[in-house]
Amino acid sequence: ELGSYKHFMEKEIFEQRKAIENAIRGRLSDDQSTAVLNGLNITANELRSIDRILLCACGTAWHACLVAEYLIERYARIPVEVEYASEFRYRNPPLDKNTLVFVISQSGETIDTLEALRESKRKGFKTLAITNVVGSTIARESDGGLYQYSGKEIGVASTKAFTSQIIIMLLVALYLGRMRDLSFADGKEIVSAIKALPDLIDETLKQADVVRKIAKKYSKFPDFLFLGRLEEYPIALEGALKLKEISYIHAEGYPAAEMKHGPIALVCPECPAVIFANQGEIFQKVISNAKEIGARKGPVILITDSPDEIESGLADDVIAIPKAHDAVRTIIDTIPIQLLAYYIAVERGCDVDKPRNLAKSVTVE
Ligand code: M6R
């Protein structure tokens, strides 16, 4: 089953084009510049009356919820809250009656996510799910939802399921947005960005050799920081989680500007920072954050869509990624951090597909 790959994680990283194609197949309408989402089991009227959205999940799926928060708030202008499923089930937060609950779970069997779903159903909320495993408990018990169709994910570290969850939440944001104030032209731009994504994924994967060399250089370092702003902050969290899980290196993800409020104390020659610096309104701000790290002798690894605009001496290493529309950029950002964690773990001789102490799905509390 592995073919020419050494591990399932590697294979699954390289399967992301296919996984994204599967997730969007038949779910885009050019005529209406929107998404076609069969399976939600919820009427247009019900959807229009939603005032809030609550997203619940664990681990990597929780990071997908954080990205979704940005996407839904930006394109559909509906306030979103994100909760760890394990907290939600005991926290008993007050919920507005027009709240739509979404849970995300690759396996569809994570106990905390399942219990969060049951708790919100018990309270009378419409509860939808995004799952990958067809017929899983969460898929069966939710009121409706969307399958990811990512194909089986065997590696314990989630990769292709994560990027598929993001694209599906973008489809949801587009759909809800087009029912509200998102214009036909803006919807059309997002539809085109989604269609362009598979080729951009291929282009990004071509950086694998560059990332492998960087991984070799840093594989013995004891600590890493991952920094990003706006929706790249959750990708920084995901980068840190991937590295921790499979290579057992301590890593932290932070919004880049938050660094000055504490984590900058960690910066030293043994603590590299992986920073997302892509074109957009905050490009120069992130560059200043990178300079602050360099000034304290922290190695800087930049993931950027504008390598020509990076002044020499600013970064120790650069991973160039293609320019992508804001709506889909987090998916492109994710690929280098997955590859980095993977190659570092391989370099350290770790059991990549079955990291210590972890299970693919956490079915007991
Ligand atoms: O199957 P689920 O998506 O519900 O799993 C949630 C988490 O357990 C999972 O994402 C975990 O964090 C992975 N090991 C991440 O790589």
Side-chain angles (χ1 to χ4, degrees):
E1 263 192 66
L2 270 174
S4 57
Y5 297 103
K6 288 197 195 68
H7 300 96
F8 284 105
M9 182 178 177
E10 183 190 21
K11 177 169 182 262
E12 287 157 7
I13 291 172
F14 280 86
E15 275 173 356
Q16 286 179 106
R17 179 194 176 110
K18 203 166 78 196
I20 294 288
E21 284 172 342
N22 290 346
I24 62 179
R25 185 166 300 116
R27 287 175 168 165
L28 286 173
S29 155
D30 285 318
D31 297 350
Q32 312 277 326
S33 277
T34 188
V36 182
L37 302 180
N38 299 321
L40 292 182
N41 285 335
I42 183 163
T43 65
N45 263 344
E46 280 176 296
L47 280 176
R48 258 190 297 270
S49 65
I50 290 164
D51 293 328
R52 301 195 84 80
I53 293 181
L54 173 72
L55 304 176
C56 260
C58 301
T60 284
W62 182 77
H63 295 156
C65 292
L66 292 179
V67 176
E69 179 178 11
Y70 286 89
L71 297 175
I72 295 172
E73 291 194 344
R74 184 183 304 146
Y75 297 124
R77 307 298 299 160
I78 301 172
V80 175
E81 272 179 72
V82 180
E83 292 260 6
Y84 280 116
S86 54
E87 290 294 304
F88 174 77
R89 53 182 292 208
Y90 295 113
R91 210 168 70 83
N92 197 23
L95 295 180
D96 183 275
K97 70 173 167 29
N98 294 324
T99 300
L100 176 67
V101 179
F102 249 108
V103 299
I104 303 185
S105 173
Q106 186 286 132
S107 62
E109 302 295 345
T110 299
I111 188 70
D112 284 324
T113 312
L114 176 60
E115 288 302 332
L117 170 118
R118 287 176 175 158
E119 181 66 12
S120 35
K121 279 184 74 178
R122 195 175 298 126
K123 289 180 169 166
F125 292 99
K126 195 95 177 175
T127 305
L128 307 179
I130 293 176
T131 52
N132 190 35
V133 177
V134 175
S136 56
T137 313
I138 290 176
R140 280 187 279 111
E141 291 198 17
S142 57
D143 296 312
L146 299 165
Y147 279 122
Q148 300 182 212
Y149 304 120
S150 319
K152 198 168 163 57
E153 192 181 64
I154 294 172
V156 164
S158 185
T159 53
K160 62 177 179 174
F162 175 63
T163 44
S164 295
Q165 286 159 355
I166 295 178
I167 200 73
I168 290 177
M169 288 315 282
L170 174 61
L171 294 175
V172 170
L174 172 63
Y175 184 62
L176 294 173
R178 291 286 294 127
M179 286 183 155
R180 292 163 186 246
D181 296 327
L182 192 73
S183 69
F184 181 86
D186 289 343
K188 193 168 169 195
E189 208 182 295
I190 296 172
V191 170
S192 313
I194 295 173
K195 287 187 173 170
L197 188 58
D199 285 345
L200 291 186
I201 291 175
D202 277 348
E203 217 179 309
T204 314
L205 284 165
K206 288 190 189 139
Q207 292 300 307
D209 280 339
V210 172
V211 181
R212 196 201 316 251
K213 285 190 192 113
I214 296 173
K216 218 175 163 117
K217 177 169 164 192
Y218 293 102
S219 68
K220 301 283 182 317
F221 283 57
D223 297 287
F224 271 73
L225 285 175
F226 286 80
L227 306 172
R229 301 186 72 160
L230 305 178
E231 64 267 50
E232 288 169 322
Y233 160 53
I235 309 303
L237 292 176
E238 175 64 3
L241 178 65
K242 288 287 89 93
L243 192 65
K244 279 183 272 204
E245 281 190 295
I246 59 166
S247 70
Y248 319 138
I249 296 176
H250 168 249
E252 295 198 37
Y254 260 93
E258 193 59 23
M259 206 184 60
K260 281 187 241 169
H261 303 279
I264 199 161
L266 293 172
V267 173
C268 65
E270 289 75 44
C271 180
V274 179
I275 307 174
F276 296 110
N278 291 314
Q279 272 312 318
E281 48 185 327
I282 46 139
F283 179 68
Q284 286 307 335
K285 305 266 178 203
V286 182
I287 294 296
S288 327
N289 297 139
K291 282 184 182 158
E292 285 156 3
I293 291 187
R296 287 158 185 85
K297 307 267 181 294
V300 170
I301 304 168
L302 273 193
I303 298 177
T304 180
D305 63 2
S306 306
D308 299 340
E309 289 180 44
I310 306 297
E311 54 194 87
S312 70
L314 172 68
D316 294 83
D317 296 279
V318 172
I319 303 170
I321 54 172
K323 286 197 166 42
H325 189 280
D326 282 354
V328 295
R329 184 185 287 144
T330 52
I331 293 175
I332 297 303
D333 284 333
T334 300
I335 293 173
I337 56 103
Q338 293 171 339
L339 289 168
L340 186 68
Y342 172 71
Y343 290 127
I344 289 182
V346 169
E347 198 61 37
R348 290 165 70 93
C350 298
D351 189 350
V352 174
D353 285 334
K354 289 199 182 67
R356 71 186 181 203
N357 307 339
L358 293 175
K360 181 66 185 158
S361 119
V362 181
T363 52
V364 285
E365 201 177 355

